[in-house]
């Protein structure tokens, strides 16, 4: 029987690369995002893969619940959920940044991820089978200037993933947190609100990770034998590493 994966945020970046990867591997795909035309184009490009698209905003709790409740029978059961939809907004220091941006990140990266998880989890537990893959970030493991609320949301994803594993003890449902570093997608263009110059500077002179690298990590974690749970994968480009802690000298 074909396996089914639900990928949120499939209209760009990691989500799109994962859709392509899982389609090549013969999985059925449930793909979501807010941009309907991109989902339509992707569905056409992935033919003959079996694809169900759902247009909704993960910040909308009811829409998340309905997207899961109204899945066509042939796309059930959901074998894997990838909570990938997410974003960073701004890099100003905490005292100067926009509170609206903070709310958007919290609503998307934290609340959206929890709505989707809560909607999909009961059926996985009932089947005693399934895999929740969350997109965390190195920003959730290490602080950096301007990371403030974005890093905070990804720290939530890190700990929430571990707590999910704690609650799922005694079941065969798997949970993995993927924690990428710098990866060139539309991420920085979104972070800098459409400023393509600022976005391209982030990756200047760096052989950054690609969306395909992340799709490979996710696929590997889900393709391992059912008794193996990868708790987390932290992955960075070779050219990115840990900077020294800042010291304010007199
Ligand atoms: P992209 O900006 O390329 O893609 C983000 C995706 O998320 C889009 O498909 C977008 O779809 C979707 N999305 C954003 N907000 C919402 C929303 N409110 N409702 C539904 N979908 C939404 O970014 P990446 O692919 O790089 O990022 C994917 C995930 O990986 C994010 O969670 C990000 O934080 C994380 N990450 C990224 C890293 C990087 O360096 N690129 C590193 C570490 C983690 P649409 O706009 O159509 O709704
Ligand atoms: C984004 C990764 O390195 O830009 O989640 O903070 S980084």
């Amino acid at each position: 029987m074909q396996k089914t994966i639900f990928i949120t945020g499939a209209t760009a970046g990691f989500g799109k690369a994962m859709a392509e990867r899982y389609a090549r591997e013969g999985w059925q795909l449930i793909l979501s995002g807010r941009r309907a035309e991109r989902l339509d184009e992707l569905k056409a490009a992935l033919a003959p893969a079996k694809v169900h698209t759902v247009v909704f905003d993960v910040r909308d709790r009811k829409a998340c619940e309905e997207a899961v409740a109204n899945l066509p029978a042939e796309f059930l059961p959901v074998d894997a959920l990838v909570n990938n939809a997410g974003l960073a907004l701004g890099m100003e220091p905490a005292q100067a940044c926009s509170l609206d941006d903070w709310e958007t990140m919290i609503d998307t990266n934290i609340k959206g991820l929890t709505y989707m998880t809560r909607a999909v989890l009961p059926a996985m537990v009932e089947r005693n089978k399934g895999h929740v893959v969350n997109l965390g970030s190195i920003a959730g493991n290490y602080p950096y200037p301007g990371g403030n609320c974005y890093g905070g949301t990804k720290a939530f994803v890190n700990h929430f993933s571990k707590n999910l594993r704690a609650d799922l003890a005694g079941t065969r449902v798997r949970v993995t947190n993927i924690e990428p570093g710098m990866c060139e997608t539309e991420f920085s263009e979104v972070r800098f609100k459409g400023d393509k110059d600022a976005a391209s500077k982030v990756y200047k002179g760096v052989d950054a990770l690609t969306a395909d690298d992340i799709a490979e990590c996710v696929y590997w974690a889900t393709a391992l034998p059912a008794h193996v749970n990868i708790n987390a994968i932290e992955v960075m480009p070779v050219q990115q590493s840990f900077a020294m802690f800042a010291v304010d000298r007199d």
Side-chain angles (χ1 to χ4, degrees), residues 61-166:
R61 174 173 162 175
K62 194 156 171 275
C64 292
E65 289 166 354
E66 283 176 0
V68 174
N70 297 330
L71 285 174
E74 65 266 34
F75 284 86
L76 293 173
V78 175
D79 294 284
L81 165 68
V82 186
N83 279 314
N84 166 72
L87 80 172
L89 286 173
M91 273 201 88
E92 295 83 5
Q95 67 275 17
C97 68
S98 150
L99 198 51
D100 288 340
D101 286 350
W102 279 13
E103 267 186 340
T104 303
M105 289 188 277
I106 291 165
D107 289 347
T108 310
N109 302 353
I110 297 181
K111 289 171 141 189
L113 180 141
T114 57
Y115 299 154
M116 288 305 299
T117 304
R118 185 62 182 79
V120 165
L121 213 47
M124 288 186 174
V125 172
E126 197 179 327
R127 288 176 67 223
N128 203 21
K129 199 175 179 189
H131 199 152
V132 177
V133 180
N134 292 329
L135 258 298
S137 168
I138 58 161
N141 300 348
Y142 313 102
Y144 62 81
N148 46 65
C149 191
Y150 176 68
T153 65
K154 295 303 185 179
F156 172 89
V157 176
N158 174 341
H159 210 67
F160 182 66
S161 304
K162 289 177 178 147
N163 273 335
L164 273 180
R165 284 268 289 142

Side-chain angles (χ1 to χ4, degrees), residues 17-100:
M18 284 185 255
E20 291 162 352
R21 179 63 206 258
Y22 281 86
R24 280 203 301 279
E25 301 293 341
W27 288 51
Q28 300 193 129
L29 309 165
I30 304 159
L31 306 177
S32 75
R34 291 165 300 179
R35 286 170 287 183
E37 45 326 319
R38 286 209 184 186
L39 287 176
D40 291 344
E41 281 165 24
L42 184 57
K43 183 176 178 171
L46 294 175
K50 240 177 119 189
V51 179
H52 172 67
T53 58
V54 216
V55 180
F56 67 96
D57 188 322
V58 295
R59 291 172 293 175
D60 182 340
R61 174 173 162 175
K62 194 156 171 275
C64 292
E65 289 166 354
E66 283 176 0
V68 174
N70 297 330
L71 285 174
E74 65 266 34
F75 284 86
L76 293 173
V78 175
D79 294 284
L81 165 68
V82 186
N83 279 314
N84 166 72
L87 80 172
L89 286 173
M91 273 201 88
E92 295 83 5
Q95 67 275 17
C97 68
S98 150
L99 198 51
D100 288 340

